[in-house]
């Protein structure tokens, strides 16, 4: 991780973030957020209408850790696999704390039987900050799914 | 936008370009082309055979603006949504005006009902130039679709 | 190609590598490997269990060249088309010879009739090295497919 917020460091953070999820290292994933943070999953329609209703919501890293812990205990069954393809970030301007960025994504789901399908597409609306002296973290990530049909029981983060 | 043509600036231009289309900011999209430009959508088979026939053709930014304007007036119905995943550009060498580059892409279409499918895949064959004093723009983009089945009534640019 | 191993040079190597395969320049693709190299295609399940069984295996560039040559002579029929979308590399640390990196990928197959489907997803586990004085090459690439259903007769490299 770099101590500057630019396309290269945003790109590296996104790459590491997707890898944590796909490799089932969710405890490492939560470390990419600031202690006080926002993480929401919503749909494009809700987002366009300014509706706050979210499929998933957390306002702290502790809440994300809780969520991961419950995934660890609940999911005794063998899980399907996910593959994130994360596009290129566009930096959108400075905030009081850091920078806004927007990044498209596509997630593929691979079932135990091998069947492969597009699970979700959308964009990450992020606020990136330098946390402490030199760690780039997500102060906010709003995951805007293109489809309103994305499985609301989704077990893993997007 | 940067005033040099390298992988980083090509990548940033591609990211911004895809965002304009997916966020329905088509007026901003046309600004990424030089005033005199080429924009064509063709198929891999046609391209391999050197055929000039194109599904979409424009030879100036004004013509692209016209196309966008007609989309704005014609499409009173609620549109489906598209998501571009743009890969990494490969710089292919200098031209008299700038640089050739080639970039793979995948476009997903999300229907109003939520159904998600691969709409198109292919590659962008671009000529990138520094326009004026310091703006990176597309002097030419030939969109080569892998499939000959790509919907020729396609409403939005690829 | 650059003489340093960093995110930018790994990204450029990956982009060029995918382009060689999709543009059917397989002879150029083999040149991206060191003379003594490892190239394996396996599944996530096999990989997780530490099984060495591979769908494709080569331990030298000469063996990769042989494979390409046999593809050239065997495939007299018109081939389907593939499109690689390669994600962002994560550098994982130094090795004795270079660096480990991990990169997600998605491959789409386009049939002659135009039908388009997801062919494979997974990740590349690479060892990148500086070969000779200044050429970045793959000393090892293990292609870990997410699905165990990936067509084992696969004609082209992943």
């Amino acid at each position: 991780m770099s101590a500057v917020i630019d396309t290269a460091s945003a790109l590296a953070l996104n790459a590491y973030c997707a890898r944590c999820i796909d490799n089932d290292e969710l405890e490492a994933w939560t470390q990419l957020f600031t202690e006080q943070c926002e993480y929401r999953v919503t749909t494009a329609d809700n987002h366009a209408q300014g509706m706050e209703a979210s499929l998933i919501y957390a306002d702290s890293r502790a809440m994300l850790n809780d969520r991961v812990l419950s995934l660890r205990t609940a999911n005794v069954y063998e899980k399907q696999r996910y593959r994130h393809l994360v596009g290129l970030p566009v930096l959108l301007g400075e905030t009081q704390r850091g920078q806004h960025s927007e990044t498209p994504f596509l997630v593929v789901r691979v079932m135990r039987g091998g069947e492969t399908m597009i699970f979700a597409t959308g964009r990450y609306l992020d606020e990136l900050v330098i946390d402490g002296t030199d760690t780039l973290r997500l102060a906010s990530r709003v995951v805007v799914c293109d489809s309103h049909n994305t499985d609301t029981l989704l077990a893993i983060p997007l």
Side-chain angles (χ1 to χ4, degrees), chain A:
Chain A
M1 295 302 128
S2 166
V4 293
I5 307 179
D6 58 14
T7 301
S9 63
L11 191 145
L13 179 66
N14 282 334
Y16 187 68
C17 192
R19 180 177 181 268
C20 285
I21 301 174
D22 290 341
N23 287 1
D24 197 25
E25 296 171 3
L26 299 179
E27 291 78 5
W29 172 73
T30 66
Q31 296 301 312
L32 303 178
F33 290 83
T34 53
E35 274 195 44
Q36 299 304 314
C37 65
E38 182 188 27
Y39 176 79
R40 292 197 292 127
V41 178
T42 186
T43 66
D45 287 344
N46 278 359
H47 184 75
Q49 293 162 27
M51 290 170 63
E52 288 291 321
S54 298
L55 306 176
I56 301 179
Y57 177 82
D59 64 6
S60 68
R61 192 197 291 159
M63 207 164 152
L64 290 174
N65 280 329
D66 279 352
R67 181 173 171 84
V68 168
L69 194 61
S70 72
L71 284 174
R72 294 296 185 214
T73 32
N75 292 346
V76 289
Y77 57 90
E78 188 73 338
K79 295 187 292 293
Q80 60 271 56
R81 198 180 296 279
Y82 294 87
R83 177 63 54 199
H84 285 65
L85 268 285
V86 177
L88 309 173
V90 177
L91 295 184
L92 296 174
E94 294 192 8
T95 66
Q96 284 193 319
R97 300 180 293 179
Q99 286 256 6
H100 280 302
S101 78
E102 180 176 331
T103 310
F105 68 86
L106 177 153
V107 183
V108 169
R109 175 155 64 174
V110 183
M111 308 305 285
R112 292 298 302 164
E115 197 194 356
T116 297
M117 73 206 66
I118 296 175
F119 177 66
T121 63
R123 53 197 169 119
Y124 297 130
L125 303 182
D126 294 336
E127 186 178 6
L128 303 169
V129 298
I130 304 294
D131 197 25
T133 50
D134 67 350
T135 309
L136 185 65
R137 287 207 168 91
L138 292 159
S140 175
R141 166 159 287 188
V142 180
V143 183
V144 182
C145 296
D146 290 325
S147 170
H148 57 80
N149 271 1
T150 305
D151 185 357
T152 54
L153 294 173
L154 35 92
I156 54 121
L158 280 172

